[in-house]
Amino acid sequence: MVVRQVEPRAATGVVTPGMFCSHWRFVRGLAAPGAALILIFASGCGTVQPSGRLPASAQEPGRRPEGRLAIACHLEATAASDICTLNADGSDLRRLTSGPRNEYDADWSPDGRQLVFRSAPSADPASSGPSDIVVVDVETKLLRNLTNHPEWGNWSPAWSPDGKWIAFYSDRDQQPGLYLIRPDGTDMHLLLEGDAEYPSWSPDGDALVFMSLGFPPGSSSSAFDVWLVNADGTNLRRLTESDGEDGWPAYSADGKQIAYTHDRGSTIGYEIVVVDRTGGNPVVVTPDNDGLSHDYPAWSRDGRYLAWSGYAQSGPDRGGVFVMNLANNTQQAIASDGVGPAWQPSSAKRDATPSS
């Protein structure tokens, strides 16, 4: 068994999760036919200097993290990943999908009863090729393919707060951009043309934040930045602009803050930065002495915790999924060889957790 749960442990300074298997990361997206494959590993030298403080709600010591998280995980010694869920303290790991396909980029429906994710036919995460947006019922494990196309690349789905839409990035029909689709697979349409990957909805559903190489379509930057757009596709604006890569943004549950990944350079790695919703008051929340690079931030629904993926910069890999208490800056490892955590909504019913 390649992935196993680990006993949660708090850490200050160096994190020693122990007995971790080799870490794996996924490509950022699938290249269009004939194009070069772009990996999420990026070089950059920009540095975000921490300033300000997190809001009082995060400063107050909180209870133990609650709810469940969805992650992409390995439960068997194969190259393919599956969608799993586990408690926020690392207990009760359960697999929802299985088979030869590579499945990741999971996000919850608002009621916590379904998960939407990216599914690629290749078991090799570094392989270019098509991928689809798929929904799984948490209780029955029944799957529903929303895009179902043999050539297009579709990835990074995000469920709207009202449950009516799923936003995702696609390179379909030679018109790459941010698309919307109904959870039943109908009414798919282009919201924003151009590079707009890994969207996250504001809690009121009025805006989306995402990572992009820039606009207008066809233009290119040396590194990704974080952008914002209204839910109707208007008022496009840039949130970050730095020498290093900024990406994988996530709105806090109250909509007042955005967490994202910032690349400090190939020898230092990624850190998680929290800013207010206008991009001000950046705070680096990940430790700089734990030997890990950090990405894919996900907020708890009470705003007291952040989950992320972590992997080693040098030496034996010891990456996995971590949860940090923002009140006292302690983090614990909750799973090994996992990536892309997504926190179950607080409105989820207790019976949304599978019974087996």
Side-chain angles (χ1 to χ4, degrees), residues 25-66:
R25 293 186 81 203
F26 289 114
V27 294
R28 174 184 59 79
L30 295 176
L37 183 68
I38 301 175
L39 303 181
I40 57 179
F41 301 101
S43 61
C45 56
T47 300
V48 175
Q49 297 295 332
S51 64
R53 293 177 60 84
L54 293 174
S57 60
Q59 296 292 333
E60 300 166 3
R63 58 184 180 276
R64 292 173 62 86
E66 297 179 348

Side-chain angles (χ1 to χ4, degrees), residues 45-49 242-244 262-264 268 271:
C45 56
T47 300
V48 175
Q49 297 295 332
S242 65
D243 294 332
H262 173 72
D263 179 20
R264 297 183 296 169
I268 303 175
E271 62 191 2

Side-chain angles (χ1 to χ4, degrees), residues 203-225:
D204 58 12
D206 289 344
L208 294 107
V209 62
F210 57 90
M211 62 188 292
S212 175
L213 283 171
F215 294 90
S219 65
S220 180
S221 170
S222 60
F224 284 87
D225 288 307

Side-chain angles (χ1 to χ4, degrees), residues 131-188:
S131 60
D132 284 307
I133 304 300
V134 177
V135 172
V136 60
D137 185 283
V138 175
E139 179 65 28
T140 66
K141 301 182 182 179
L142 293 177
L143 301 175
R144 184 170 68 257
N145 192 324
L146 303 186
T147 51
N148 197 25
H149 196 277
E151 298 178 3
W152 295 332
N154 308 279
W155 61 88
S156 60
W159 218 307
S160 66
D162 62 7
K164 295 180 179 180
W165 295 102
I166 293 171
F168 66 100
Y169 181 79
S170 178
D171 62 9
R172 64 187 57 237
D173 295 334
Q174 305 300 315
Q175 194 175 30
L178 184 62
Y179 285 78
L180 296 181
I181 193 171
R182 298 287 187 184
D184 64 1
T186 62
D187 200 12
M188 180 177 61

